[in-house]
Amino acid sequence: MARPPAILPPISTTEDAKASLEQLIKACPKSALLSKAHYLLGVLQEKTNQFDTSAYHYAAALALKPDAATTETLNFRRIAVLQRQGKNEEAAAAL
């Protein structure tokens, strides 16, 4: 059975994953996967201590109105990132 052609290049590093997700976000701004792509990019940015970018992607995912469980997870992660940045008032406002 032949495999379908790859849409994105193989992912072997965190940087590859970030690049692929950024490419997906730019190429498919109306995709149903857009919220998930922003969420995953936020997680990767958080894991590499890029908290400003992480918070941006969590907020972008939230703006796309994901399901309730995903919204709760996104809020939790966004608040944690804001607290790591010392933005306690903004984190408290997000509660």
Side-chain angles (χ1 to χ4, degrees):
M1 177 181 228
R3 293 181 69 175
I7 296 172
L8 298 171
I11 298 170
S12 58
T13 68
T14 300
E15 291 306 313
D16 288 345
K18 288 180 192 177
S20 292
L21 289 166
E22 289 168 352
Q23 183 181 352
L24 174 65
I25 289 168
K26 288 177 186 170
C28 304
K30 302 287 185 194
S31 172
L33 297 174
L34 194 58
S35 177
K36 190 65 151 181
H38 276 292
Y39 167 73
L40 292 172
L41 196 47
V43 170
L44 290 171
Q45 300 289 11
E46 182 180 350
K47 289 186 182 292
T48 56
N49 298 324
Q50 297 173 328
F51 300 124
D52 285 336
T53 309
S54 178
Y56 165 80
H57 285 290
Y58 290 148
L62 283 165
L64 294 167
K65 310 223 186 291
D67 61 73
T70 303
T71 296
E72 185 175 330
T73 300
L74 282 163
N75 274 324
F76 174 80
R77 293 194 79 108
R78 182 169 174 261
I79 289 167
V81 165
L82 291 169
Q83 288 176 327
R84 285 182 181 174
Q85 293 176 290
K87 297 179 179 179
N88 295 323
E89 288 181 22
E90 193 174 342
L95 291 175

